[in-house]
Amino acid sequence: MEGQWKIEFWGTRGSMPVPGKDFLKYGGDTSCVLLDWGCGLVIFDGGSGLAKLGKALAGEKRRIDILLSHMHMDHIVGLLGFKRFYDKEARIHLYGEAGDGGSFRKRLETVAGRPYWPVGFKDFAGDVRLHQIEAGQSFSITEGPGSIKVSTIRGKHPGESILYRIDGPGKSVVYGLDCQLDQEMFEKMAEFSQNVQVLIWDANFTEEELRRYRDWGHSSWRQGIALRKAANAKNAVMTHFSWEYTDDFLTEQESLAAMEDPASFFARERMVLWV
């Protein structure tokens, strides 16, 4: 498939969404990133930003594939307000893994349905297909004349996570949120992300906080820079910021990061990258 890929950020926070005047520059919705690869759309995670993205996609006829990194609430809460589920013309494929003794479908239905939500998957008018996957699995998404390859790797995170890489002709993107880097994980991620055009990385903590919140399953922008360089990635985009980080604090951190590595920068909601 020829033509550029469009990457658009619809949620940049971790743990929970944050409204208010101190969170306008970088955004307050939780993780959701859109990849428009031409023949179809891939959405990484279903955080609160997915609800707003669903409104923007009204009338979209192309296939939509939603790749969930894990089932923590900040990564799935937007599924409850995703209006495309209720459009009978919509074609949606939803990917995630089993866990906690239940299938992927069972885990979703625990949240999307009574008693926690008034409607569930049985109420969706669109063609919604669930795909239970495992870390390490690879598969292709084919739509019309185009095809992309999706590769996965296990992330280091409480309850576990799946990290994704998408490859197409001359283009590649890695989505690596909710992953803690020890030496073993660093080496695995550097290999997994080799020569990628865009590395989307978890910058939930500062270096000081990483020492305090050991084994919380997150990373920092400084680790993201080191990973970008080790992987020979063209750019690294930091996201999944702590919900406590104000715009002023993130602006300071982004300035420090830019001095260390101009090829790494911070995501903002509705920011667009072209690959």
Side-chain angles (χ1 to χ4, degrees), residues 188-200:
K188 289 180 179 179
M189 277 304 300
E191 180 180 359
F192 184 70
S193 306
Q194 272 297 308
N195 301 316
V196 75
Q197 268 74 51
V198 178
L199 168 65
I200 301 172

Side-chain angles (χ1 to χ4, degrees), residues 14-267:
S15 298
M16 63 181 67
V18 282
K21 62 181 178 60
D22 294 327
F23 307 97
L24 297 177
K25 180 178 179 181
Y26 293 90
D29 279 308
T30 59
S31 299
C32 181
V33 179
L34 172 69
L35 168 61
D36 184 336
W37 59 279
C39 294
L41 305 173
V42 169
I43 300 172
F44 297 106
D45 270 333
S48 62
L50 181 65
K52 294 178 181 177
L53 174 55
K55 293 181 180 179
L57 295 179
E60 175 62 59
K61 302 299 184 185
R62 289 175 293 171
R63 168 176 169 158
I64 298 172
D65 293 85
I66 303 175
L67 309 179
L68 299 180
S69 61
H70 61 307
M71 297 295 290
H72 284 169
M73 283 301 298
D74 55 325
H75 292 257
I76 65 170
V77 67
L79 293 171
L80 303 179
F82 189 53
K83 288 191 172 183
R84 301 298 294 138
F85 286 143
Y86 303 96
D87 184 343
K88 64 181 181 180
E89 301 297 326
R91 295 176 297 128
I92 301 169
H93 295 254
L94 189 57
Y95 303 77
E97 64 179 332
D100 303 310
S103 66
F104 177 48
R105 174 178 286 276
K106 182 64 175 177
R107 298 176 87 191
L108 286 173
E109 289 177 342
T110 300
V111 178
R114 300 172 70 179
Y116 301 111
W117 197 248
V119 295
F121 284 86
K122 64 181 176 57
D123 302 299
F124 295 158
D127 179 9
V128 181
R129 304 184 185 187
L130 303 185
H131 302 270
Q132 183 168 302
I133 61 173
E134 298 179 354
Q137 183 177 344
S138 297
F139 54 93
S140 295
I141 297 173
T142 301
E143 180 70 7
S147 181
I148 53 177
K149 179 184 177 183
V150 182
S151 304
T152 65
I153 189 174
R154 170 66 68 208
K156 187 173 183 180
H157 188 71
E160 301 189 323
S161 62
I162 291 180
L163 316 184
Y164 293 94
R165 174 171 178 150
I166 295 186
D167 287 278
K171 303 174 182 66
S172 52
V173 175
V174 163
Y175 182 80
L177 300 197
D178 289 61
C179 182
Q180 179 176 316
L181 285 182
D182 54 19
Q183 187 59 38
E184 180 183 8
M185 193 71 232
F186 184 92
E187 292 173 359
K188 289 180 179 179
M189 277 304 300
E191 180 180 359
F192 184 70
S193 306
Q194 272 297 308
N195 301 316
V196 75
Q197 268 74 51
V198 178
L199 168 65
I200 301 172
W201 188 247
D202 182 319
N204 193 87
F205 290 136
T206 63
E207 294 298 310
E208 180 183 357
E209 288 170 329
L210 282 177
R211 292 188 288 272
R212 281 190 286 149
Y213 301 116
R214 182 183 295 273
D215 297 326
W216 281 40
H218 293 289
S219 181
S220 69
W221 59 259
R222 185 163 279 119
Q223 289 180 322
I225 287 175
L227 180 60
R228 185 200 73 77
K229 293 178 178 179
N232 193 36
K234 183 176 181 180
N235 292 113
V237 187
M238 310 303 171
T239 187
H240 201 278
F241 309 122
S242 168
W243 64 278
E244 297 181 299
Y245 289 175
T246 64
D247 288 337
D248 287 344
F249 180 79
L250 286 174
T251 298
E252 293 174 358
Q253 294 295 303
E254 186 172 24
S255 296
L256 293 173
M259 287 189 289
E260 293 193 20
D261 183 21
S264 298
F265 45 91
F266 284 25

